Amino acid sequence: AELTIQLTPSLVKMMTKRTSHVRGELKTKMHGLTASFFGFRASRSTLTITQNCDLAESLKEGSHFIFKVQTKHGIYKTDLIQSAINHMWFANQSNEGIVYAKYFDPLPVQTMALVLTAVS
């Protein structure tokens, strides 16, 4: 049986507040994953900061961060994307991906877009 829910202003407000929380939580989780996956280093030295900036720019150029290999093969197949999805929605039995599994099979395009936005 399918459930139809009418959107009310209060329901829309509740949903948009949750969206901001999800985006923030995902960005926080992605920070550590992205750093270790691509080799960003934590340091206050000017050289390291410059190297990190250069690395970030090279990954953003041509959207290289979304491919499994840098030759642009295996789009959306990078282990980083899978790790992000696992950490965010499938880390434990109470996570949304487990509890609401039918909404994650297949993974919604909007969810993939959110992950890619958090990486960039």
Side-chain angles (χ1 to χ4, degrees):
E2 222 174 280
L3 178 65
T4 303
I5 299 174
Q6 183 170 350
L7 290 178
T8 63
S10 62
L11 184 56
V12 169
K13 185 176 179 180
M14 180 188 72
M15 289 167 52
T16 55
K17 279 186 174 182
R18 177 70 180 141
T19 301
S20 177
H21 172 77
V22 169
R23 186 177 60 245
E25 182 182 349
L26 181 60
K27 282 178 73 173
T28 299
K29 290 181 180 187
M30 287 303 301
H31 184 77
L33 286 172
T34 304
S36 64
F37 190 82
F38 290 116
F40 289 99
R41 295 181 304 145
S43 173
R44 292 186 180 183
S45 86
T46 305
L47 177 61
T48 301
I49 292 169
T50 301
Q51 289 170 337
N52 284 343
C53 288
D54 291 345
L55 176 57
E57 287 304 315
S58 72
L59 291 167
K60 285 198 246 179
E61 186 178 314
S63 299
H64 286 289
F65 65 90
I66 64 174
F67 293 94
K68 188 170 182 79
V69 292
Q70 292 297 327
T71 56
K72 290 197 167 188
H73 291 290
I75 189 166
Y76 307 127
K77 303 229 186 240
T78 174
D79 292 338
L80 176 62
I81 293 172
Q82 187 63 59
S83 292
I85 292 166
N86 291 350
H87 277 79
M88 185 66 189
W89 292 287
F90 295 92
N92 61 57
Q93 292 297 317
S94 63
N95 277 151
E96 293 89 348
I98 304 294
V99 175
Y100 304 107
K102 69 180 182 179
Y103 298 110
F104 287 84
D105 186 21
L107 186 74
V109 171
Q110 296 87 343
T111 303
M112 178 62 81
L114 178 62
V115 170
L116 295 175
T117 301
V119 172
S120 66

